Amino acid sequence: MTKVLIIYDSQTGNTEKMALQVLKGVKEVTNAKPVLKKVDQATLEDLETADAIIMGSPTYYGQMSGKLKTFIDSSNKIHGKLAGKAGGAFTSSGGAACGAETTLISILNAMLVHGMIVQGIREYNHYGPAAVGAPGERETKLCRLLGKRVAELAARLVS
Ligand SMILES: Cc1cc2nc3c(=O)[nH]c(=O)nc-3n(C[C@H](O)[C@H](O)[C@H](O)COP(=O)(O)O)c2cc1C
């Protein structure tokens, strides 16, 4: 079983809607088990025991939210334990070209510092799904695609 952890922050529900679609994408992969956690409930043990970690955040001033950053900063305690795991990111912002990509990069950057292997998307929203407000049809598809591809990548890395 490949455990894919989806951690997200969301104050007004948009990123949460994306997280639920990512979860559906993970479920499309045989032997992949998604675990969904709001950042307040996530623990370092969750990170350590996951084969893959996908993180979602609202875009706040062009970066991930303070809550998600605080959680990631706390993962310093387990630095080295996440190396080689698969990762991915998604975000919801208030406007188009208003900081979504820099938010995604801020999450992926932290994953790279941990030595993780991050999944891009060649088709569209290359750094990860980015919705303006709630996810529309296109972002919904991209969220599912990200979940599926990260789960597949994790399965390959585990084997
Ligand atoms: C503190 C704060 C900072 C924000 N900064 C940005 C920003 O830099 N760019 C942007 O497009 N939207 C910004 N927004 C809007 C949110 O990204 C947007 O409403 C998003 O859909 C919220 O996601 P959520 O429903 O998951 O909480 C900001 C909102 C808040 C509360």
Side-chain angles (χ1 to χ4, degrees):
M1 207 48 127
T2 315
K3 182 176 159 189
V4 181
L5 178 66
I6 304 157
I7 296 181
Y8 69 97
D9 189 15
S10 184
Q11 297 306 308
T12 54
N14 295 327
T15 315
E16 183 165 61
K17 286 189 181 120
M18 298 178 83
L20 292 169
Q21 296 304 324
V22 173
L23 180 136
K24 283 190 184 171
V26 172
K27 280 186 174 168
E28 286 174 28
V29 179
T30 315
N31 288 330
K33 182 189 167 214
V35 176
L36 185 69
K37 291 246 174 147
K38 211 164 176 180
V39 66
D40 320 77
Q41 279 120 40
T43 65
L44 297 182
E45 196 189 343
D46 290 327
L47 294 177
E48 265 192 88
T49 57
D51 297 303
I53 302 161
I54 306 175
M55 290 183 172
S57 171
T59 290
Y60 280 179
Y61 290 93
Q63 300 281 314
M64 72 178 96
S65 72
K67 273 191 193 179
L68 187 61
K69 180 69 165 67
T70 300
F71 179 65
I72 289 176
D73 286 353
S74 77
S75 69
N76 175 52
K77 295 189 192 81
I78 56 163
H79 196 84
K81 301 268 174 70
L82 308 186
K85 294 182 193 284
F90 58 97
T91 189
S92 166
S93 63
C98 290
E101 285 197 345
T102 47
T103 298
L104 294 166
I105 291 291
S106 72
I107 297 170
L108 298 178
N109 188 50
M111 291 179 168
L112 289 170
V113 172
H114 266 298
M116 292 175 60
I117 296 159
V118 299
Q119 177 71 58
I121 304 178
R122 72 185 152 77
E123 293 91 340
Y124 205 79
N125 282 187
H126 306 304
Y127 300 98
V132 175
E137 198 180 324
R138 183 169 62 196
E139 296 81 27
T140 296
K141 273 189 196 152
L142 288 171
C143 285
R144 289 195 194 173
L145 195 64
L146 179 74
K148 182 171 182 278
R149 290 204 179 145
V150 171
E152 286 169 346
L153 174 62
R156 286 203 300 279
L157 292 170
V158 166
S159 70

